Amino acid sequence: MNPQAKLVFTMSLLLGTSITISSNHWIMAWTGLEINTLAILPFISKSHHPRAIEAATKYFLVQATASALVLFSSMVNAWQTGQWDITQLTHPMACTVFTAAIAMKLGLVPFHFWFPEVLQGSSLTIGLILSTIMKFPPITLMYLTSGSLNPILLTTMAVLSTILGGWMGLNQTQIRKILAFSSISHLGWMTIILIYSPKLTLLNFYLYTIMTAATFLALNTMKAMKLSTLMTSWAKSPA
């Protein structure tokens, strides 16, 4: 990739994340999410491999749908209450739609199917960005609207994510898919904590980010893609 293009996309990624986490208005938050989505797509499809192109297409479709739902829920809320403030999400229908949209963005069950496939089609470095930085804006929006989200729907999705993430990860040989299901399981725990203590969810997310970064970077150093490669990596690179 051209260094100038790489710089532009990286800066856009940081800009999109910054806009979303610092905004107080729904339109600004949505703009940040859209910038984020468009900035990561060239990185996913960089290798021009069919799997990478497929991953980028799946990621774009899911994220665009979720962003549209975020915008729709905020418009419904603004129509009913006259408020564009993120913390003032009060209309029941808007709350339910937003809960579904944020679950789709994060990859919570039952909207989790895209995440393992996208991670499998990406490199380990891009997988790290998708598992950490790209989840920060939706987690922030969840944190800001934690008092308004539908608790029953949120608990159901959280419990299912925790169970399915742990269960499906057992059946994999591809390391990136194992990490994807691990991420889904972690997100389930974060979501269920959110109802009782939003600040604890953020702390959990920070710890998860540190652990995930360490894992991905170690695997990237060893160039390990499968469990079979990982088993023989001690002889190649003991450190």
Side-chain angles (χ1 to χ4, degrees), residues 106-133:
L106 288 168
L108 288 170
V109 175
F111 308 107
H112 68 287
F113 299 104
W114 64 272
F115 192 55
E117 297 297 322
V118 170
L119 223 63
Q120 183 59 33
S122 315
S123 66
L124 282 166
T125 315
I126 302 306
L128 171 60
I129 294 170
L130 288 171
S131 302
T132 55
I133 298 168

Side-chain angles (χ1 to χ4, degrees), residues 106-109 112 115-116 131 135 139 155 157-170 177-193 204 208 211-212:
L106 288 168
L108 288 170
V109 175
H112 68 287
F115 192 55
S131 302
K135 293 204 184 298
I139 287 274
T155 307
M157 289 193 298
V159 170
L160 287 173
S161 298
T162 308
I163 294 167
L164 196 127
W167 182 43
M168 292 290 282
L170 296 172
K177 278 198 174 180
I178 294 170
L179 289 167
F181 285 114
S182 164
S183 181
I184 291 166
S185 185
H186 277 291
L187 284 166
W189 287 114
M190 285 181 225
T191 310
I192 208 159
I193 297 165
N204 193 340
Y208 155 79
M211 289 190 298
T212 306

Side-chain angles (χ1 to χ4, degrees), residues 6-20:
K6 200 171 186 178
L7 180 66
V8 168
F9 294 135
T10 308
M11 292 300 288
S12 300
L13 199 61
L14 294 170
L15 179 71
T17 305
S18 304
I19 288 172
T20 303

Side-chain angles (χ1 to χ4, degrees), residues 12-218:
S12 300
L13 199 61
L14 294 170
L15 179 71
T17 305
S18 304
I19 288 172
T20 303
I21 64 176
S22 60
S23 60
N24 203 33
H25 194 283
W26 276 114
I27 297 293
M28 286 301 289
W30 172 79
T31 307
L33 291 171
E34 286 297 314
I35 292 169
N36 244 3
T37 303
L38 293 173
I40 196 71
L41 290 174
F43 287 119
I44 299 171
S45 57
K46 189 171 64 171
S47 65
H48 299 295
H49 191 273
R51 287 297 295 268
I53 303 297
E54 184 190 342
T57 309
K58 281 179 181 174
Y59 186 79
F60 172 71
L61 291 172
V62 171
Q63 295 297 317
T65 308
S67 293
L69 286 174
V70 167
L71 194 61
F72 176 68
S73 66
S74 60
M75 284 174 71
V76 167
N77 190 64
W79 185 274
Q80 296 294 332
T81 63
Q83 286 281 351
W84 281 101
D85 195 327
I86 290 177
T87 54
Q88 300 298 318
L89 189 72
T90 51
H91 192 261
M93 183 192 166
C95 292
T96 306
V97 172
F98 179 72
T99 308
I102 219 73
M104 198 181 285
K105 273 214 163 287
L106 288 168
L108 288 170
V109 175
F111 308 107
H112 68 287
F113 299 104
W114 64 272
F115 192 55
E117 297 297 322
V118 170
L119 223 63
Q120 183 59 33
S122 315
S123 66
L124 282 166
T125 315
I126 302 306
L128 171 60
I129 294 170
L130 288 171
S131 302
T132 55
I133 298 168
M134 298 304 288
K135 293 204 184 298
F136 193 36
I139 287 274
T140 308
L141 289 178
M142 265 176 80
Y143 174 75
L144 290 170
T145 57
S146 56
S148 313
L149 298 178
N150 189 327
I152 298 165
L153 184 62
L154 214 56
T155 307
T156 307
M157 289 193 298
V159 170
L160 287 173
S161 298
T162 308
I163 294 167
L164 196 127
W167 182 43
M168 292 290 282
L170 296 172
N171 201 28
Q172 304 298 329
T173 55
Q174 294 285 344
I175 285 172
R176 283 168 294 180
K177 278 198 174 180
I178 294 170
L179 289 167
F181 285 114
S182 164
S183 181
I184 291 166
S185 185
H186 277 291
L187 284 166
W189 287 114
M190 285 181 225
T191 310
I192 208 159
I193 297 165
L194 186 83
I195 303 160
Y196 307 104
S197 176
K199 285 185 179 175
L200 203 57
T201 297
L202 275 187
L203 176 65
N204 193 340
F205 180 72
Y206 297 145
L207 292 170
Y208 155 79
T209 303
I210 294 163
M211 289 190 298
T212 306
T215 310
F216 269 100
L217 293 170

